Amino acid sequence: MKIGFIGLGNMGMPMAINLAKAGHEVIGFDKVAAPEAPLRAASSAAEAATGADVVITMLPNGGILQSVAAEIIPAMKAGAVFCDCSTVDVESARAVATDANAAGLGALDAPVSGGITGAAGGTLTFMVGGGAEAFATVEPLFEIMGQKAVHCGESGAGQAAKICNNMILGVTMIATCEAFALADKLGLDRQKMFDVVSTSSGYSWSMNAYCPAPGIGPKSPADNGYKPGFAADLMLKDLRLAQQAAEGADADTPMGELAMQLYDRFVGSEDGAGQDFSAMLPRFEKRGRS
Ligand code: NAD
């Protein structure tokens, strides 16, 4: 296929390279980064989109997605598919899909989980909203960039799945970290805490697969000085998107809201910026109740 790829940052560049290595013709554009070989370079987003069967975007937020969409939709050929893999607000995803559909294009919102390791290794998970035909067109590309693609429903359903998942992740990571800090203060050995919780009803991905305590459980950013991994700043972004969506849908999400407030403080006025989101554990370690 001929693929336009717009947004070649930490995630987009390795995803685009995997598609090119698999034999597709990939024409990349980024406002800042120069496309790496074997990608071909375009001098604008519109040029990357012209004549492409599929255009993939991997951009920072919904505002930027909407401005790029306004530029590329008129340049795309009829019947092509616009597939956005960024994490953005549900409204932006739906607005872009509506405009793309009105122009005779297929449209998918297909945010990912798996981070930069998943992007480089081609092991991402895609959560996809949009029409069945568009999904069928892009599915072979999801198989190259990832290990799993779930078609979640109509436009916006991919973003909905992503923010609900990450709201659970933010909440469980905080709960896991505060429980470790409490266990420390109660004199409970961390390894024993892990041995019990990871096989009891308190288990979760945060405890079992991404344990925030250094030297405990499988290797995680805690074993690497809390270098991300999944940065606290990105977790904050996703928790904000979840609250924005909850407000729009009149959903009561008190734990998600508190998690957002804690990550907001952690990143904004404590030392969380640039750290992995599991660095909440050293944060709790240093604190008392007041
Ligand atoms: P990034 O900041 O490294 O990359 C974004 C790229 O978009 C940058 O290279 C930037 O120059 C480019 N860009 C910005 N405006 C542009 C424009 N108008 N035209 C063309 N290019 C433009 O971010 P990232 O880590 O690659 O993340 C991309 C998306 O993936 C985000 O929505 C993020 O939330 C999501 N995501 C990231 C991770 C992760 O671990 N990094 C995991 C899951 C999802």
Side-chain angles (χ1 to χ4, degrees), residues 2 6 9 14 16 32 41-42 62 76 96 101 121 139 160 163 169-170 177 195 197 214 221 242 262 264 279 287-288:
K2 190 171 175 200
I6 300 161
V32 178
M76 287 174 67
V96 164
N101 291 152
E139 203 173 15
I163 56 176
L169 177 61
C177 291
D195 291 347
V197 175
L262 281 166
D264 190 33
R287 299 173 66 89

Side-chain angles (χ1 to χ4, degrees), residues 177-190:
C177 291
E178 69 181 32
F180 262 118
L182 171 61
D184 287 348
K185 292 195 177 180
L186 296 175
L188 176 60
D189 179 71
R190 284 186 169 181

